[in-house]
Amino acid sequence: MYSNEPHIETNGLNAYYGNIQALKNISIVIPRKQITMIIGPSGCGKTSLLKCLNRFFELSPNTSVTGEVLTDGENIYNPSIDITEIRKKAGLLAQRPYPLPMSIYDNVAYGIRIHHTRPRREMDHWVQHYLEIAGLWEEVKDRLHSPANNLSIGQQQRLCLARGLAVEPEIILGDEPTSALDPISAQNIESRLLDLKSQYTIILVTHILRQARRLADYVIFMYLGEVIEAGLAEQVFNHPQHERTQAYLSGVF
Amino acid sequence: MKTKWKPRHIEETIMKILMIFSFSLIIGSLGWILFTILIKGLPSLSWAMLTQTPKGGYYLGKEGGILNAIVGSLYLAAGGTILAVLIAFPTALFLSVYVNKKRWAVIVRLSLDILWGIPSIVYGAFGFLLMLAMGLRASLLGGIITLAFLEFPIMTRAMDEIIQRIPPDLPLAAYALGSTHFETALHVITRQVIPGLLTAVLLAFGRAIGDAASVLFTAGYTDHIPTSLSQPVASLPLAVFFQLATPYPEVQNRAYASALILTILVLGVSILSRWISYHLDRYSIR
Ligand SMILES: Nc1ncnc2c1ncn2[C@@H]1O[C@H](COP(=O)(O)OP(=O)(O)OP(=O)(O)O)[C@@H](O)[C@H]1O
Ligand SMILES: [Mg+2]
């Protein structure tokens, strides 16, 4: 079905908040270096699914997960695995940007420092590099050492993108990364993500169908914790197979 | 256009007048105090006062200085602050991280607030009784312990508030970048709370260095700089008190000079904590 080789696969993934089952037997394939978008009504488990892909789900209290998530063929729920490596590989762009309590420069340098991904003496170069990729460099190059929380929300979200990229992930997870932004900033992030597609596997959650149509190569439609339909974007959007998908896409709910 | 005098406009004006009144009252009294100690103290302030201990006849107007009290106050306040940090920081962590919203925590916080409000003479008397029971005499150690008691509630509550105000999403942002718990605590949480914690420590230090009543019975007074914890020690507030209590005008003026030194020390501490919050706190996430 997919032209690109799979990057992530889930097999019979179930996720629970206490007794509430948020994900029911999810088995999906996410192709490499493409944009996969998860859509579905509020509360259907989009965020939960995304969080299972970088082991963020277990940070909420009383949660449990069964089944497997294979990233590059390796089960990330294997008890012997290093969680920090999983999270390094799959960077998360949250709904609301959360800068670290330090300067703009240090926010980007943070990931490089903790993972030693680049030599220390080349730090200036790499900080500039990632800020450029995130499309923020021109706006902040004269105030790299001022606090990151003085930036506008849209700028903060691009800073979070730069910060996440500096860790050298292979996968970018975005949970409605543009929903707190104004239309111009949102468009800015969208075009960044399109640029990044050639190098990263990108998985985005969105509420906005038009955004999904603009960005998606592949679409996963969820409903009440289940994946109802998944496939090529044009396939799902133009010829939905399941009636729930048809109803959702035509705006019935 | 004519302003209509609706009740809410009158309300607004009354509030404004009240605010201006209280503002002037505060600035006025601060100015008055500073003016008095400057006028009376500055002429008596000499290099000798800062660098010498009292010589024979100092309290009759002969030569010497109050180095004993300056050093003594710094020893007492620093010792008390260090001891208080050692107890307050773990208590604050326990309160805000482990028992944050439980009934226990409410009771502990209420007790700390009450302790905060207790006059320092009560701490002095309590410390004194404690020392009697332990067979200690008025000494540097006694003063340090009593001041630590005095500082403990201030510091714990201030730190507790700071730690409680860490945004819950902040550690998540660090975990998302693949940080370990330790890296998150060391590089992110610490960066967020250190300015506030330092301010809490300086606040308590400022209260301790200016306090007379709690060291009155517990630290004693002496003309020498102590060389061990078991020796009595002088302090600036008591130096002011004793000199002011003499009948000699020269000595009384030296009391104002001592008060000036104390005020400058306290002012220095407040300016330092302002500086910290300006230069470090601006990075904190609110
Ligand atoms: N911390 C939690 N504790 C208990 N239940 C939760 C928690 N977070 C989410 N849930 C429940 O799990 C289900 C899936 O939630 P999730 O946040 O994944 O949905 P979502 O598709 O992201 O919704 P939205 O579009 O509104 O963000 C919902 O029924 C929700 O009520
Ligand atoms: Mg969500």
Side-chain angles (χ1 to χ4, degrees), chain A residues 46-47 95 175-176 205:
Chain A
K46 305 183 293 293
T47 299
Q95 183 165 8
D175 189 0
E176 307 186 39
V205 166

mmCIF file of all heavy atoms in Angstrom, chain A residues 46-47 95 175-176 205, ligand 2:
data_model
loop_
_atom_site.group_PDB
_atom_site.id
_atom_site.type_symbol
_atom_site.label_atom_id
_atom_site.label_comp_id
_atom_site.label_asym_id
_atom_site.label_seq_id
_atom_site.Cartn_x
_atom_site.Cartn_y
_atom_site.Cartn_z
ATOM 1 N N LYS A 46 -5.952 10.966 19.637
ATOM 2 C CA LYS A 46 -4.852 11.391 18.758
ATOM 3 C C LYS A 46 -3.598 11.699 19.574
ATOM 4 O O LYS A 46 -2.501 11.203 19.277
ATOM 5 C CB LYS A 46 -5.262 12.638 17.963
ATOM 6 C CG LYS A 46 -6.538 12.465 17.174
ATOM 7 C CD LYS A 46 -6.861 13.691 16.356
ATOM 8 C CE LYS A 46 -7.230 14.918 17.171
ATOM 9 N NZ LYS A 46 -8.493 14.790 17.904
ATOM 10 N N THR A 47 -3.763 12.514 20.612
ATOM 11 C CA THR A 47 -2.622 12.879 21.447
ATOM 12 C C THR A 47 -2.036 11.636 22.113
ATOM 13 O O THR A 47 -0.815 11.461 22.175
ATOM 14 C CB THR A 47 -3.067 13.898 22.516
ATOM 15 O OG1 THR A 47 -3.546 15.054 21.853
ATOM 16 C CG2 THR A 47 -1.924 14.265 23.435
ATOM 17 N N GLN A 95 1.744 21.372 21.651
ATOM 18 C CA GLN A 95 0.685 22.272 21.194
ATOM 19 C C GLN A 95 1.024 23.717 21.540
ATOM 20 O O GLN A 95 0.882 24.619 20.740
ATOM 21 C CB GLN A 95 -0.611 21.850 21.881
ATOM 22 C CG GLN A 95 -1.817 22.636 21.457
ATOM 23 C CD GLN A 95 -3.085 21.940 21.895
ATOM 24 O OE1 GLN A 95 -3.044 20.965 22.621
ATOM 25 N NE2 GLN A 95 -4.207 22.437 21.452
ATOM 26 N N ASP A 175 1.966 17.784 18.047
ATOM 27 C CA ASP A 175 0.587 17.701 18.536
ATOM 28 C C ASP A 175 -0.074 19.054 18.329
ATOM 29 O O ASP A 175 0.087 19.961 19.133
ATOM 30 C CB ASP A 175 0.568 17.313 20.022
ATOM 31 C CG ASP A 175 -0.837 17.005 20.497
ATOM 32 O OD1 ASP A 175 -1.776 17.095 19.687
ATOM 33 O OD2 ASP A 175 -0.988 16.672 21.689
ATOM 34 N N GLU A 176 -0.810 19.205 17.258
ATOM 35 C CA GLU A 176 -1.426 20.478 16.886
ATOM 36 C C GLU A 176 -0.443 21.625 17.071
ATOM 37 O O GLU A 176 -0.728 22.575 17.801
ATOM 38 C CB GLU A 176 -2.687 20.721 17.732
ATOM 39 C CG GLU A 176 -3.655 19.567 17.675
ATOM 40 C CD GLU A 176 -4.957 19.873 18.395
ATOM 41 O OE1 GLU A 176 -5.414 21.010 18.288
ATOM 42 O OE2 GLU A 176 -5.496 18.967 19.042
ATOM 43 N N VAL A 205 -0.638 15.786 14.515
ATOM 44 C CA VAL A 205 -2.038 15.715 14.892
ATOM 45 C C VAL A 205 -2.663 17.033 14.510
ATOM 46 O O VAL A 205 -2.053 18.085 14.718
ATOM 47 C CB VAL A 205 -2.170 15.500 16.410
ATOM 48 C CG1 VAL A 205 -3.590 15.760 16.864
ATOM 49 C CG2 VAL A 205 -1.727 14.111 16.796
HETATM 50 MG MG MG C 2 -5.050 16.174 21.768
#
